[in-house]
Amino acid sequence: MSGSKGDKHSVQLDKAGIGIEDGIPLNVSVGGIDELRADIQRLMDIEAIKQLKHAYFRCIDTANFGELERLLHDDVTVDFVGGNYEWKLTGKDEYVASVRSAFTREAVGHHNGHHPEIQILSESEATGIWYLADDMWIMTHKFHTKGTAIYWDRYEKANGTWKIRETHYRRLYEISGLLDENPQFSSHHLRKHGTEV
Amino acid sequence: MSGSKGDKHSVQLDKAGIGIEDGIPLNVSVGGIDELRADIQRLMDIEAIKQLKHAYFRCIDTANFGELERLLHDDVTVDFVGGNYEWKLTGKDEYVASVRSAFTREAVGHHNGHHPEIQILSESEATGIWYLADDMWIMTHKFHTKGTAIYWDRYEKANGTWKIRETHYRRLYEISGLLDENPQFSSHHLRKHGTEV
Amino acid sequence: MSGSKGDKHSVQLDKAGIGIEDGIPLNVSVGGIDELRADIQRLMDIEAIKQLKHAYFRCIDTANFGELERLLHDDVTVDFVGGNYEWKLTGKDEYVASVRSAFTREAVGHHNGHHPEIQILSESEATGIWYLADDMWIMTHKFHTKGTAIYWDRYEKANGTWKIRETHYRRLYEISGLLDENPQFSSHHLRKHGTEV
């Protein structure tokens, strides 16, 4: 394991290590109606950001590239490090193209983001920590990857819509390797709806 | 796989394909106290609907049929399609009876609903998209099923309580088949608390 | 299975069985601005408690004992029952020491808490039900445990901060046993960051 990319980049995954600071506290204002209005908007922003990331995971695993594109900031930056890969890129077009090439008719992806910890920094900036659990088969290579990771993101709101501006993860664990045989899937959505190989 | 029921019903699982429209936006009102009151209620409704669906998953896997019944609209419709099954029915009584017959002392169910995307349509109507991850053993048949699915639901509020009015899912993937041996469970809650076979 | 500790303690995991009562309903007040302020705070409290538990799971699996300590009430009580173990203790120091001794460089932990059902009882008291899904390898013993459980917790707020006051779980299922070989992990965060053995 000593030579894996994941180890080379191993940082302590605490808030200091990943650069996440406290946002506006979850304390209601003692002020009047305009302060309460801002408090309600902050709760709505937290909900909107959760839905944004939830849609992201739904879109990748269903190969819904049209909706995926609308979730990403034009200048989104991606920094994911797994045991045997680094996935680093800049820009919405490059990100969607990369997802498109991975989620083919010969792939099965299962990506769930748990445990949202959303911090609102201002009316238009927020951060989030998530706990990824994922499972993916690339059947053209009989390759299976399974594991978990800590995600940390930045979100920006423009024209009333929150988008993913920056996204990172590092693995907690990963098991990956070649299979003797691909699984026999009794359902496989991407078989019809994934990118043509 | 070509003849599986899941493929016959394969639809693109995007919002247009499953008939989910945008709800009331997550933007606070510019109005006065009564408008803010409605905004707060909408946030409470989103939380209540999440708790409703969370309770649903807890109730099926713990064989808690009494509480399950209270989560369902009298005229609930169910439309689930897996690789080798369709589960379609109408009405609370039929739904509870069907769950009761599946979650026996010889079953182990693990059903988690992730990534809620709740849309409030009005004071008494809402929709939700969820991402199911499930794992189930039917030990009388040495049968195991594992997979994921996209759920889409409709909820109705009557007498102050949200209930499940309509529920659908289609698989993203499913692996199912006969086992050589059932697992040796070191804990098995339904062994005592499931329906008697 | 008949002699396992899990069975000896088997209770019906419904709300009556675990002592969870309804909290303040998710209905907005008909009153004025001070009543709305209290409603908003309750929504913020629900969010804060979710983030508290989410941080708990992140902290144990990343061996982040410093942050973990700040999540726990000084007099926290723990009551977890698995198939072959009971984990019962009192007090933050004992709890952190116990987690510290389990999450070593030879361990891989994957603990996710799903389906929060948070009930606010007052300005400073709340309860929560969660659905645990977990997977853990203790490589010094080639021991693997996998399963699910229902959690029920009590939370207390003091000096503006929610903490875990009481936490319980009972298994829905558990599969545990010795492995022929430990998995080959292509990433393993605790290898560097866990407690030294």
Side-chain angles (χ1 to χ4, degrees):
Chain A
M1 235 167 316
S2 54
S4 79
K5 288 180 184 171
D7 282 3
K8 194 177 63 180
H9 293 264
S10 186
V11 293
Q12 178 59 41
L13 293 171
D14 56 16
K15 288 180 182 174
I18 61 178
I20 294 292
E21 292 175 18
D22 287 348
I24 300 170
L26 288 164
N27 296 327
V28 73
S29 166
V30 295
I33 194 165
D34 286 328
E35 284 75 19
L36 294 192
R37 199 189 310 281
D39 287 342
I40 296 169
Q41 185 60 55
R42 267 203 305 283
L43 285 166
M44 289 180 167
D45 287 339
I46 291 172
E47 178 61 25
I49 291 167
K50 290 179 187 172
Q51 293 201 18
L52 168 67
K53 189 82 173 176
H54 292 166
Y56 168 80
F57 288 116
R58 175 174 48 77
C59 286
I60 60 172
D61 286 346
T62 58
N64 183 345
F65 308 119
E67 187 178 351
L68 175 63
E69 193 176 300
R70 295 192 293 276
L71 309 176
L72 304 172
H73 190 283
D74 284 352
D75 303 317
V76 59
T77 60
V78 176
D79 158 44
F80 299 152
V81 179
N84 297 299
Y85 63 90
E86 295 186 13
W87 191 12
K88 304 209 181 196
L89 56 83
T90 300
K92 179 173 69 174
D93 294 346
E94 203 183 333
Y95 196 178
V96 175
S98 179
V99 174
R100 190 186 290 272
S101 73
F103 287 77
T104 71
R105 297 186 177 199
E106 296 293 330
V108 173
H110 175 187
H111 295 83
N112 290 137
H114 306 303
H115 305 169
E117 298 177 70
I118 309 300
Q119 304 279 333
I120 302 295
L121 304 181
S122 74
E123 284 179 19
S124 60
E125 298 163 292
T127 62
I129 302 176
W130 297 79
Y131 190 124
L132 172 71
D134 62 315
D135 214 350
M136 189 154 185
W137 292 268
I138 305 289
M139 288 189 280
T140 42
H141 297 75
K142 291 189 183 170
F143 200 79
H144 180 235
T145 303
K146 180 183 166 65
T148 59
I150 298 295
Y151 258 104
W152 64 103
D153 295 345
R154 293 194 169 261
Y155 310 102
E156 273 186 34
K157 191 181 195 179
N159 304 316
T161 305
W162 287 97
K163 303 211 172 184
I164 299 172
R165 178 69 183 82
E166 206 178 287
T167 182
H168 312 256
Y169 75 63
R170 294 294 179 275
R171 288 292 192 188
L172 297 191
Y173 87 86
E174 184 188 275
I175 298 172
S176 58
L178 292 171
L179 302 171
D180 293 332
E181 296 293 337
N182 286 318
Q184 290 290 326
F185 291 99
S186 47
S187 289
H188 177 195
H189 187 69
L190 293 187
R191 172 81 65 193
K192 275 201 182 168
H193 300 285
T195 305
E196 289 190 53
V197 182
Chain B
M1 237 166 313
S2 55
S4 81
K5 287 180 185 171
D7 283 3
K8 193 177 64 183
H9 293 266
S10 186
V11 292
Q12 178 58 43
L13 292 170
D14 57 15
K15 289 180 181 173
I18 61 179
I20 294 292
E21 292 175 20
D22 288 348
I24 299 169
L26 288 163
N27 297 326
V28 73
S29 168
V30 294
I33 195 165
D34 286 329
E35 283 75 19
L36 295 191
R37 198 189 311 280
D39 287 342
I40 296 168
Q41 184 60 55
R42 265 203 306 283
L43 285 166
M44 290 180 166
D45 286 339
I46 291 173
E47 178 62 23
I49 290 167
K50 290 178 186 170
Q51 293 201 18
L52 167 68
K53 188 82 173 176
H54 293 166
Y56 168 80
F57 288 116
R58 175 175 49 77
C59 286
I60 61 172
D61 286 345
T62 58
N64 183 344
F65 308 118
E67 187 178 352
L68 176 63
E69 192 176 303
R70 296 191 293 277
L71 309 175
L72 305 172
H73 190 283
D74 284 351
D75 303 316
V76 60
T77 59
V78 176
D79 158 45
F80 299 153
V81 179
N84 297 298
Y85 62 90
E86 296 187 14
W87 192 12
K88 303 207 180 197
L89 55 82
T90 300
K92 180 174 70 175
D93 293 346
E94 203 183 332
Y95 196 179
V96 174
S98 179
V99 173
R100 189 185 291 271
S101 73
F103 288 77
T104 71
R105 298 186 175 198
E106 296 293 331
V108 172
H110 175 188
H111 294 83
N112 290 139
H114 307 303
H115 304 170
E117 299 176 70
I118 309 299
Q119 305 278 333
I120 303 294
L121 305 182
S122 74
E123 286 179 17
S124 60
E125 297 162 292
T127 63
I129 302 176
W130 298 78
Y131 190 123
L132 172 71
D134 61 316
D135 214 349
M136 190 153 184
W137 291 268
I138 304 291
M139 289 189 280
T140 40
H141 296 75
K142 292 188 182 170
F143 200 79
H144 180 236
T145 304
K146 179 182 168 65
T148 59
I150 299 295
Y151 257 106
W152 65 102
D153 294 346
R154 292 193 167 262
Y155 310 101
E156 273 187 33
K157 191 180 195 179
N159 304 316
T161 305
W162 286 97
K163 303 214 171 181
I164 299 172
R165 178 66 182 82
E166 208 178 286
T167 183
H168 311 257
Y169 75 62
R170 295 291 180 278
R171 287 290 192 189
L172 297 191
Y173 87 86
E174 184 187 277
I175 298 172
S176 59
L178 292 172
L179 303 170
D180 292 334
E181 295 295 337
N182 286 318
Q184 290 291 327
F185 291 98
S186 47
S187 287
H188 177 195
H189 187 68
L190 293 187
R191 174 81 65 193
K192 274 201 183 167
H193 301 283
T195 304
E196 290 191 51
V197 181
Chain C
M1 233 166 318
S2 55
S4 79
K5 287 180 185 172
D7 283 3
K8 193 177 66 183
H9 293 266
S10 186
V11 292
Q12 178 60 40
L13 292 170
D14 57 15
K15 289 180 181 173
I18 61 179
I20 295 292
E21 292 175 17
D22 288 347
I24 299 169
L26 288 163
N27 297 326
V28 73
S29 169
V30 294
I33 194 165
D34 286 328
E35 285 74 20
L36 295 192
R37 198 188 311 282
D39 287 342
I40 295 169
Q41 185 60 55
R42 267 204 303 284
L43 285 166
M44 290 180 166
D45 287 338
I46 291 173
E47 178 61 24
I49 291 167
K50 290 179 187 172
Q51 293 201 17
L52 168 68
K53 189 82 173 175
H54 292 166
Y56 168 80
F57 288 115
R58 175 174 50 77
C59 287
I60 60 172
D61 285 346
T62 58
N64 183 343
F65 309 119
E67 186 178 352
L68 176 63
E69 192 176 302
R70 295 192 292 277
L71 309 176
L72 304 173
H73 190 283
D74 284 351
D75 302 317
V76 59
T77 59
V78 176
D79 158 43
F80 300 152
V81 180
N84 297 299
Y85 63 90
E86 295 188 13
W87 193 12
K88 304 208 180 197
L89 55 82
T90 300
K92 180 174 68 174
D93 295 345
E94 202 183 332
Y95 196 178
V96 174
S98 179
V99 173
R100 190 184 290 272
S101 73
F103 287 77
T104 72
R105 298 186 175 200
E106 297 292 330
V108 172
H110 174 187
H111 295 83
N112 291 137
H114 306 303
H115 305 167
E117 298 177 69
I118 309 299
Q119 304 278 334
I120 303 294
L121 304 182
S122 73
E123 285 178 19
S124 59
E125 298 162 293
T127 62
I129 302 175
W130 299 78
Y131 190 122
L132 172 70
D134 62 316
D135 215 349
M136 189 154 186
W137 291 269
I138 305 290
M139 289 189 282
T140 41
H141 296 75
K142 293 189 183 170
F143 200 78
H144 180 235
T145 304
K146 180 183 168 63
T148 60
I150 298 296
Y151 257 105
W152 65 103
D153 294 346
R154 292 193 169 261
Y155 311 102
E156 272 186 34
K157 192 181 195 179
N159 305 315
T161 303
W162 287 97
K163 304 213 171 185
I164 300 172
R165 179 67 184 82
E166 206 179 287
T167 182
H168 312 257
Y169 74 64
R170 293 294 180 276
R171 288 291 194 189
L172 297 191
Y173 87 86
E174 185 188 274
I175 298 172
S176 59
L178 292 171
L179 302 170
D180 293 333
E181 296 294 338
N182 286 318
Q184 289 292 327
F185 290 99
S186 47
S187 289
H188 178 193
H189 186 71
L190 292 186
R191 173 80 66 192
K192 276 201 182 167
H193 301 283
T195 304
E196 290 192 53
V197 183

